[in-house]
Amino acid sequence: MEILPCKSRADAVALTAKLIGARLDATPEMVLGLATGRTMEEVYDHLATNGARFDRCTTFNLDEYVGLPPNHPQSYAAYMAGHLFDRVDIDRACTHLPDGMAADLGHAARDYEARIAAAGGIDLQLLGIGAAGHIGFNEPLSAFRSRTRDKILTPTTRDQNAGMFGGDAARVPKRALTMGVGTILEAGELILLACGAAKAEVVARAVEGPLTARVSASAIQLHPACKVILDPEAAAALEDIAYYRFVCANEEKWDPYRDHL
Ligand code: GLP
């Protein structure tokens, strides 16, 4: 795992977007795993504003609410259209989200796994982190070997996401279809971005805490190619921050990105 502590929230967002953009330039036909949430809105804005090319890539989103049709303004399908897909040159036939409207959610979940496999697997998976320590919607006690399936959302998560539902947690769907932790760990590379003081504690538990299904994000410690990009507030509770800064400062590969670090 590589921790990249950035100078500011804008720098953490810019670094994330630049690393994705660089991968798209190097391998335009890559399979990109996408995430949602307020943090990612800034990443997508940076990519769209800077003219990143998506014309040959395929995307898979981490999750979708159960019971919201793609044209529902709070669905993740609508989120992706508004924040990214409608703003870049992506072929919409190559974008995938789990089908939260499926009559048979088990079948939809297996179909999603099959689509990922048919695309050759995910090359780079973008991740945020929820207050409950989740990646995707892998709520506490999600098995590290779990696959795409529907999960009940914790009260913490419904409270956290209430902002997108007029501030009313009761309007946040009760369930979501999400890639499993095991699905996520099979991606070739992971980039987790976290910003803000509200994420500091859960980031420390994910990065430095014990591997535990209570914090599904701690599973990223098992991944051989995982970057964690943080703004100063989200990095504030890390015990070994001096060591992470030392490594980052001495790795020449980060020289092109020094402005942000
Ligand atoms: C939702 C998504 C997660 C994401 C989280 C973070 O819960 N399912 O994948 O990590 O939001 O949201 P935010 O960036 O708004 O803090």
Side-chain angles (χ1 to χ4, degrees):
M1 182 159 47
E2 295 178 286
I3 312 293
L4 299 165
C6 293
K7 287 177 184 162
S8 69
R9 181 179 183 116
D11 286 301
V13 166
L15 176 60
T16 304
K18 284 181 183 179
L19 291 176
I20 297 166
R23 283 294 302 272
L24 284 166
D25 286 345
T27 321
E29 66 284 0
M30 72 182 292
V31 180
L32 181 61
L34 297 171
T36 52
R38 276 149 293 194
T39 318
M40 294 304 155
E41 292 176 14
E42 297 165 53
V43 175
Y44 299 144
D45 186 56
H46 192 287
L47 285 164
T49 307
N50 289 283
R53 298 288 305 271
F54 287 83
D55 54 332
R56 289 162 62 192
C57 85
T58 298
T59 66
F60 285 91
N61 266 79
L62 283 168
D63 46 24
E64 177 60 284
Y65 290 114
V66 168
L68 296 192
N71 62 359
H72 188 287
Q74 273 78 44
S75 71
Y76 282 158
Y79 170 107
M80 289 312 304
H83 291 292
L84 188 68
F85 298 158
D86 288 349
R87 302 178 63 194
V88 297
D89 58 356
I90 201 160
D91 176 354
R92 291 295 287 268
C94 295
T95 66
H96 304 265
L97 286 100
D99 179 7
M101 291 299 287
D104 182 342
L105 292 171
H107 180 269
R110 289 188 294 279
D111 172 67
Y112 203 58
E113 291 279 339
R115 279 193 272 161
I116 293 171
I122 293 167
D123 295 310
L124 168 62
Q125 177 66 55
L126 189 56
L127 298 170
I129 184 169
H134 67 211
I135 45 177
F137 270 130
N138 288 288
E139 300 292 50
L141 301 190
S142 289
F144 282 1
R145 297 175 68 180
S146 53
R147 312 301 306 185
T148 302
R149 70 232 182 280
D150 68 304
K151 286 291 287 181
I152 191 160
L153 301 179
T154 62
T156 309
T157 295
R158 293 178 77 208
D159 284 345
Q160 191 198 339
N161 290 3
M164 293 178 197
F165 292 82
D168 182 1
R171 288 178 53 210
V172 179
K174 293 189 171 69
R175 305 187 78 83
L177 256 186
T178 179
M179 280 187 206
V181 179
T183 318
I184 292 167
L185 290 180
E186 281 174 15
E189 185 181 345
L190 304 179
I191 294 181
L192 187 149
L193 169 66
C195 295
K199 299 288 173 70
E201 205 58 45
V202 79
V203 163
R205 292 180 74 193
V207 169
E208 296 180 329
L211 278 176
T212 172
R214 290 177 74 187
V215 180
S216 66
S218 68
I220 64 171
Q221 296 176 37
L222 295 168
H223 198 281
C226 176
K227 296 177 179 62
V228 178
I229 300 177
L230 303 170
D231 74 351
E233 288 75 21
L238 291 170
E239 273 181 28
D240 288 335
I241 186 70
Y243 169 64
Y244 312 141
R245 288 195 197 288
F246 167 84
V247 174
C248 194
N250 287 281
E251 281 285 11
E252 288 176 12
K253 68 178 170 183
W254 298 122
D255 287 350
Y257 301 102
R258 288 286 165 223
D259 284 356
H260 301 305
L261 296 165

